[in-house]
Amino acid sequence: MAGSILGTEVVRREDGTLLTGEGRFTGDLRPERLLQAHFVRSPVAHALIEGIDLGAATEHRGVAAVYTAETIGVEQVKPRFPLDPHFVRGPLASDRVRFVGEPVAMVVAESLAAAQDAADEIMVDYEPLPVSMDAEAAVANGAAVLYPERGSDAMFRAFDPVDGLHERADRIITARIVHNRMAVVPMETDAALADPTGEQLTLWVSTQGAHPTRGGIADSLGLDHDQVRVIAPWVGGGFGAKGGWRVEHVAVAAAARQLGRPVVWTETRAENLISMQARDQVHYVRQGVTDDGRMVSLEVVVLVDAGAYPALGGVLPTITRVMATGVYAIKQVQFDFGLAATNRAPLGAFRGAGRPQATLTIERMADLAAAELGIDPVEFRRRNFLAPEDFPLVTPTGGAYDTGEYEKALDRACELVGYDDLRAEQAARRAAGDPRRLGVGLSSYVEVTAPTGQEEHAVVEVHPDGSATVSVGTSSHGQGHETAFTMIVADRLGIDLDRIAFVQADTALVARGSGTGGSRSAQLGGSAIHAASMEVLDIARRRAAELLEASADDIVVTDEGRLGVAGVPGAAVSWEQVVAAADEPLRVELDHTTDGATFPFGTHICVVEVDTDTGLVTLRRFVAVDDAGNLLNPLIVAGQQHGGVASGIGQALYEHVVYDDDGNPLTTGLADYAMPSAAEFCDFTVDSTITPTHLNPLGVKGIGEAATIGSTPAVQNAVIDALCDLGIRHIDLPLTPERVWQAIQSAGEPAPDITWPSL
């Protein structure tokens, strides 16, 4: 991208609005006659609803309405990922509740305080039912606790068995790997405001996709899509968890239509923590290896705790399966999975959505194999990498990898961290009996970006004054789309960045779009904008050619941002002249289709110190080398790397949603849920290798989730590496001081037997 603005560090133009407090979030909006919604939520994990006594709630001062399942006027909320008709929900629970926090009633009032006071008057008669909190047990015994009418709480997907799966292996390494349940904890909790007073029902929603959310809410309400307008204003973090609509959104919209007034709901932090959750898979793994350090076979059974209403969380193992072999040339793979409904919150997505689980498992197995064979983890990975000359290729589980130079990223990470020196220091400290053990952990990963849907919508228009507007069907919630996408237009058309307006996330202003998810925006939205810009340029060159009496083939964008004749200084026209040269607008609207998903990769190395007296893990170094193809803006890429690493470290060391045996959530506030701050991190060193993809015109891959996928196993491997000479083979996440200390105290004891699950 020599001579191009693309690939240069451009400061994010949207940050000024945020830093000065001018950004307007859903909860900030205050239309006239606004009403506030508050939900009455179940305090029990599983029960029949024997009755709801509204008491004096409806007569409470300032109350406009009180809704239950019988009066809300919506029977079912359209599921985004329908797995089974039994799992479909209404906006409010009707006959039973299945998790603590499930909405049972909704109060709408003139103020939030009035709604909350009235909600205290509502009495719900619950008849307790047995609680199911163990997905593995539910799958094993065929339980039907939550869904007796269905006959089972579990679903299975067993693929064809592989004949002679491990016959080439000299030894089989077995492990049980836990992927801990996390809370998403976006800065902005969920929110929705519905206004029925215009020609359309207008909703402002904290969502990653205005168009899919419009479709889901409209279908739930029985409306045509063009009767509903959805706007996503500033969104304070999504991370996959805000990828669609929720039952609360539909309830708020239904109430607004009935009352004829705007209604807003803003989730509390406690509500968010007990409802917006992700990860939660358990993997049973058998890894076949040869004595010379080759990974030849892989067998995985995944069990998912999908929560009370299985949906997206039950779909994600399909992505985990695609990425199961990671960066390695493993020929024989068998992968099956089962999921169970339990009395936990419904499981959703979080940064990586199925890919972190695959990477964590295969990278733990790589370290386990290297340790058993006595091979350095770096060398073990080198022996097993897919070779660059083998790309493009299709893995045994269907991953259509585009490009990959995995050893290049590994070499760069080792260079930056000083790998050989660290190993020497580790040996010296062990020999000296230092109680603060040094650990070095590796993770070489590959992930898939834009795994579903390869089309996106974009519009580029140049106005009579020479300014431009770009609109796109993706949706930003912090990634820097405004800067990156206007850079593409500026680069192709030569129009100054500050003269390019950016439009997104409004179904009235953008005709269609799929929103943001799966790190799709740069390669799909960016490619659509590139294609629209090039069509605008083609039209402009033809118009300029007529004005300059030249061939269109000779027209170029000059350094001054004009359209001129190549090699003829002074023979140029402005964009204003080009636009004025025709009666029709200089505007291109299109849907661009790329040629497939892309597969970013990289290597992360984490260095820790583990205090063997207390189990405390201290981060000492972290190096992330990620490859997302061509970089549109390295500054934005580095920001995504930093944020991704922080998320991955959070899962590895701190974050864990906890329930008691009765289904009561115990991590209901940030005093209980260990959300790390910058004080808990070391400095991160981030770098990039560049291996462009051939699957889109920009040569870019996704970067928004990559660093999260690579970082968690690097931390886990580092902590276990620090303690491996004590005989410690594995410690489950999160690696809290208590859990690490207990592992140290139990070092040398026989590892518990692993009972292989049966689907």
Side-chain angles (χ1 to χ4, degrees):
M1 294 187 184
S4 167
I5 190 176
L6 301 181
T8 65
E9 294 191 351
V10 176
V11 175
R12 294 183 5 152
R13 53 186 265 180
E14 53 266 71
D15 287 353
T17 301
L18 291 170
L19 292 171
T20 56
E22 296 176 10
R24 301 279 285 172
F25 297 81
T26 299
D28 296 326
L29 305 177
R30 288 292 180 270
E32 293 183 3
R33 304 176 67 234
L34 179 66
L35 297 169
Q36 296 272 351
H38 176 72
F39 288 93
V40 176
R41 298 181 180 273
S42 172
V44 295
H46 197 201
L48 295 175
I49 299 176
E50 297 291 338
I52 301 177
D53 182 359
L54 300 183
T58 57
E59 306 301 324
H60 198 285
R61 183 177 180 181
V63 169
V66 179
Y67 295 98
T68 65
E70 293 182 353
T71 60
I72 193 65
V74 179
E75 184 177 349
Q76 290 187 343
V77 173
K78 180 185 177 181
R80 184 176 172 217
F81 295 94
L83 288 178
D84 185 288
H86 292 89
F87 299 153
V88 176
R89 307 169 60 185
L92 300 171
S94 54
D95 59 334
R96 73 166 68 194
V97 292
R98 291 184 171 91
F99 69 99
V100 172
E102 183 168 3
V104 176
M106 179 176 66
V107 180
V108 181
E110 299 288 344
S111 69
L112 181 59
Q116 292 170 332
D117 289 345
D120 291 339
E121 304 282 349
I122 298 173
M123 302 298 293
V124 183
D125 183 8
Y126 296 104
E127 179 63 32
L129 293 170
V131 173
S132 174
M133 299 299 292
D134 189 334
E136 292 178 274
V139 168
N141 62 28
V145 177
L146 277 73
Y147 294 96
E149 69 280 5
R150 184 176 178 272
S152 173
D153 291 338
M155 296 181 70
F156 308 102
R157 178 75 189 275
F159 294 84
D160 293 336
V162 177
D163 293 335
L165 177 60
H166 297 299
E167 65 182 13
R168 293 177 54 217
D170 294 319
R171 62 184 78 192
I172 307 296
I173 299 167
T174 304
R176 177 182 180 272
I177 297 174
V178 175
H179 303 262
N180 43 318
R181 180 174 281 241
M182 299 175 64
V184 176
V185 201
M187 286 189 292
E188 179 199 20
T189 57
D190 205 356
L193 189 159
D195 187 348
T197 57
E199 294 182 2
Q200 295 173 302
L201 172 65
T202 301
L203 292 105
W204 290 263
V205 184
S206 183
T207 179
Q208 296 170 216
H211 294 85
T213 297
R214 176 185 65 175
I217 294 176
D219 290 347
S220 300
L221 297 175
L223 301 174
D224 293 336
H225 290 195
D226 60 8
Q227 293 179 275
V228 178
R229 177 185 183 183
V230 170
I231 304 166
W234 288 94
V235 175
F239 309 111
K242 295 182 182 177
W245 57 99
R246 293 175 63 183
V247 297
E248 290 90 345
H249 301 161
V250 174
V252 167
R257 292 187 72 222
Q258 290 191 34
L259 296 170
R261 292 177 61 180
V263 178
V264 68
W265 164 71
T266 302
E267 190 178 47
T268 67
R269 181 59 65 188
E271 286 176 313
N272 182 264
L273 284 167
I274 66 175
S275 63
M276 193 177 280
Q277 299 174 7
R279 300 288 196 257
D280 212 344
Q281 296 182 7
V282 177
H283 292 195
Y284 288 82
V285 193
R286 292 186 181 123
Q287 173 80 68
V289 297
T290 61
D291 287 337
D292 64 349
R294 305 291 175 177
M295 304 164 78
V296 294
S297 56
L298 180 67
E299 183 179 3
V300 184
V301 175
V302 171
L303 301 179
V304 183
D305 187 328
Y309 297 93
L312 176 56
V315 175
L316 293 180
T318 60
I319 300 178
T320 305
R321 179 179 183 271
V322 169
M323 304 310 303
T325 56
V327 295
Y328 305 115
I330 305 172
K331 300 298 185 184
Q332 298 281 85
V333 182
Q334 184 169 309
F335 187 108
D336 305 316
F337 67 85
L339 63 94
T342 69
N343 293 116
R344 301 175 192 264
L347 194 69
F350 177 65
R351 207 165 187 167
R355 291 100 81 197
Q357 292 92 327
T359 299
L360 181 66
T361 289
I362 197 63
E363 287 305 291
R364 280 298 303 128
M365 297 309 295
D367 261 32
L368 286 168
E372 179 156 330
L373 296 169
I375 302 173
D376 182 88
V378 169
E379 173 58 26
F380 184 82
R381 285 167 171 79
R382 292 191 203 281
R383 294 185 190 183
N384 288 282
F385 280 155
L386 292 162
E389 60 268 22
D390 293 338
F391 291 84
L393 58 85
V394 179
T395 71
T397 54
Y401 291 10
D402 53 344
T403 59
E405 293 195 33
Y406 304 144
E407 194 164 356
K408 181 170 65 173
L410 175 63
D411 289 345
R412 180 59 175 157
C414 288
E415 175 190 351
L416 289 171
V417 83
Y419 185 78
D420 292 339
D421 291 341
L422 286 169
R423 287 301 183 196
E425 180 185 349
Q426 181 184 58
R429 290 172 66 160
R430 285 177 177 173
D434 191 338
R436 293 181 63 84
R437 298 297 186 94
L438 185 72
V440 183
L442 295 152
S443 170
S444 291
Y445 75 92
V446 60
E447 68 136 331
V448 56
T449 56
T452 58
Q454 301 304 315
E455 185 177 88
E456 193 49 84
H457 180 74
V459 179
V460 173
E461 180 173 3
V462 181
H463 304 296
D465 65 355
S467 66
T469 296
V470 55
S471 64
V472 67
T474 61
S475 181
S476 178
H477 42 281
Q479 302 95 318
H481 290 186
E482 180 175 348
T483 301
F485 289 164
T486 55
M487 285 175 65
I488 296 172
V489 178
D491 184 76
R492 299 314 188 227
L493 303 184
I495 299 173
D496 289 343
L497 276 174
D498 58 7
R499 301 201 70 206
I500 303 172
F502 177 63
V503 177
Q504 63 159 3
D506 184 337
T507 60
L509 302 179
V510 182
R512 53 197 165 273
S514 298
T516 298
S519 296
R520 69 189 300 276
S521 294
Q523 57 196 302
L524 298 184
S527 293
I529 292 167
H530 160 81
S533 298
M534 296 308 294
E535 288 197 22
V536 165
L537 182 58
D538 285 343
I539 297 169
R541 291 172 67 203
R542 291 194 295 271
R543 292 186 186 179
E546 293 179 2
L547 294 172
L548 296 169
E549 298 181 351
S551 168
D553 293 338
D554 294 332
I555 301 299
V556 297
V557 177
T558 70
D559 292 341
E560 295 77 26
R562 295 162 64 86
L563 293 162
V565 181
V568 185
V573 291
S574 67
W575 279 101
E576 292 93 324
Q577 291 172 294
V578 169
V579 174
D583 294 332
E584 58 188 28
L586 183 47
R587 180 180 188 273
V588 170
E589 177 176 2
L590 55 75
D591 296 296
H592 182 76
T593 302
T594 58
D595 294 330
T598 62
F599 291 78
F601 59 90
T603 291
H604 290 198
I605 300 180
C606 179
V607 184
V608 300
E609 289 182 337
V610 180
D611 188 331
T612 54
D613 292 330
T614 65
L616 179 66
V617 176
T618 302
L619 294 168
R620 177 168 151 178
R621 291 282 308 281
F622 199 101
V623 171
V625 178
D626 301 295
D627 194 312
N630 289 330
L631 308 183
L632 297 180
N633 185 330
L635 191 64
I636 290 177
V637 170
Q640 291 292 329
Q641 290 174 288
H642 276 257
V645 168
S647 293
I649 292 172
Q651 178 181 2
L653 296 181
Y654 304 104
E655 300 183 55
H656 190 203
V657 171
V658 180
Y659 289 84
D660 67 15
D661 292 340
D662 295 322
N664 297 303
L666 303 181
T667 44
T668 59
L670 293 179
D672 306 307
Y673 184 82
M675 185 72 181
S677 70
E680 279 71 54
F681 299 132
C682 61
D683 287 339
F684 304 153
T685 299
V686 299
D687 197 30
S688 295
T689 58
I690 297 176
T691 309
T693 181
H694 56 278
L695 295 178
N696 63 69
L698 296 172
V700 299
K701 305 182 182 185
I703 189 59
E705 297 163 287
T708 297
I709 294 165
S711 56
T712 303
V715 178
Q716 188 174 24
N717 284 343
V719 173
I720 296 168
D721 176 72
L723 304 171
C724 65
D725 65 316
L726 302 178
I728 293 173
R729 182 174 180 268
H730 183 75
I731 309 173
D732 284 336
L733 301 180
L735 300 166
T736 61
E738 179 184 13
R739 187 167 286 179
V740 173
W741 182 85
Q742 288 176 340
I744 294 169
Q745 302 312 302
S746 302
E749 297 180 5
D753 292 334
I754 297 174
T755 302
W756 195 258
S758 175
L759 300 184

